[in-house]
Amino acid sequence: MKTSEFFGKFKSGYLWGNLLAMAVVVVLLVVGVKYALDVYTHHGESLTVPSVKHKKYKDAERILDDLGLVVVVSDTGYVKTLPPDVILEQSIEAGEKVKSGRIIYLTVNALKTPTITLPDIIDNSSLREAMAKLTAMGFKLAMPQFVPGEKDWVYGVLVGGKSVVTGSKISVEDSLVIQVGNGMRDASDSVNYIDPIYPEEEDAIDEFEVMDDPTTTTDKPETQATEKKTTTTE
């Protein structure tokens, strides 16, 4: 192929038409991808997160849903002074800018007072161990009640003046009274010492048969013979 023929092909309208079509396709692809990404990521769009604290859950869900935000309840808490089913916390603070479709995690006030299971501390731990364990679990403790028994040993637990057992469900609002030993023995636990009863002397003597001494019995004939001999001699 001659040089003139090679460069002559660049003057062909068919070649330039194909190149132009390829360029248009590339541009359209770039623009389409960018537009799709903008739509998917909500580029340039921002929403101001409202405050839904202390609102009923249904109201908070409606407000956030109208803005295009996703609501998810992540946890429950308990505040005695607030009504049940109100929002206690929200994961994104009010006033922050977010995009549509962002998830907002909410903490809702419990419908009823939470309870805690009483652990195995009765007749199984000292006062110090019991107080440390119960405090760590979130129980409220009142002043301990001292009862007769081993010093600082836990003998029972009272809630509202009533005894509870291991495994009982106790409200976080109730105070526990630990019954602990004061180191003094109860009168009902005292030991009554009774003098032993000995048998009478007559009864104490064992019955047995009186037997002659064999030595004495054997010597009697010799003694009698000696006596007879002495009499004859005289």
Side-chain angles (χ1 to χ4, degrees):
M1 179 183 292
K2 296 183 179 180
T3 304
S4 59
E5 293 177 353
F6 176 76
F7 284 104
K9 290 185 178 182
F10 286 100
K11 297 179 181 179
S12 172
Y14 178 76
L15 175 63
W16 287 106
N18 288 337
L19 292 175
L20 180 61
M22 292 174 61
V24 172
V25 170
V26 170
V27 171
L28 291 176
L29 284 174
V30 171
V31 173
V33 170
K34 184 177 183 303
Y35 177 77
L37 288 174
D38 290 344
V39 172
Y40 180 76
T41 60
H42 303 282
H43 180 70
E45 177 186 347
S46 63
L47 301 171
T48 302
V49 177
S51 175
V52 293
K53 288 183 179 181
H54 300 171
K55 294 182 181 295
K56 284 286 187 179
Y57 172 74
K58 289 296 182 181
D59 296 335
E61 183 181 35
R62 177 180 52 78
I63 293 172
L64 296 175
D65 186 66
D66 289 345
L67 293 175
L69 301 174
V70 180
V71 179
V72 174
V73 176
S74 61
D75 198 5
T76 58
Y78 179 71
V79 178
K80 184 178 180 179
T81 56
L82 294 176
D85 202 38
V86 300
I87 307 301
L88 300 178
E89 297 291 340
Q90 58 186 80
S91 60
I92 301 178
E93 294 296 329
E96 291 190 20
K97 301 291 185 179
V98 297
K99 295 178 180 179
S100 178
R102 183 71 177 272
I103 299 176
I104 308 294
Y105 295 97
L106 303 178
T107 301
V108 182
N109 201 26
L111 297 176
K112 59 181 180 179
T113 306
T115 58
I116 310 176
T117 303
L118 183 68
D120 185 15
I121 61 170
I122 300 174
D123 202 20
N124 192 38
S125 61
S126 65
L127 176 61
R128 179 178 296 181
E129 293 171 343
M131 292 181 67
K133 182 179 293 186
L134 294 175
T135 302
M137 294 179 66
F139 284 100
K140 291 183 179 181
L141 301 180
M143 291 294 295
Q145 181 185 87
F146 292 94
V147 297
E150 183 179 345
K151 186 174 178 61
D152 290 339
W153 189 249
V154 176
Y155 287 96
V157 176
L158 300 178
V159 176
K162 297 181 179 179
S163 297
V164 293
V165 297
T166 300
S168 298
K169 301 291 185 180
I170 301 173
S171 171
V172 296
E173 294 298 322
D174 293 333
S175 296
L176 273 62
V177 177
I178 302 175
Q179 292 181 308
V180 59
N182 57 9
M184 300 178 63
R185 185 182 294 274
D186 190 357
S188 61
D189 295 335
S190 61
V191 179
N192 295 324
Y193 293 97
I194 302 175
D195 293 334
I197 300 175
Y198 297 100
E200 297 180 2
E201 294 184 0
E202 295 180 357
D203 297 335
I205 299 175
D206 295 334
E207 294 182 357
F208 61 90
E209 183 180 358
V210 178
M211 303 292 293
D212 294 334
D213 188 352
T215 305
T216 306
T217 306
T218 307
D219 294 342
K220 273 185 179 183
E222 294 180 1
T223 305
Q224 292 175 357
T226 303
E227 289 177 354
K228 288 180 180 180
K229 186 177 181 181
T230 304
T231 305
T232 305
T233 305
E234 292 178 353

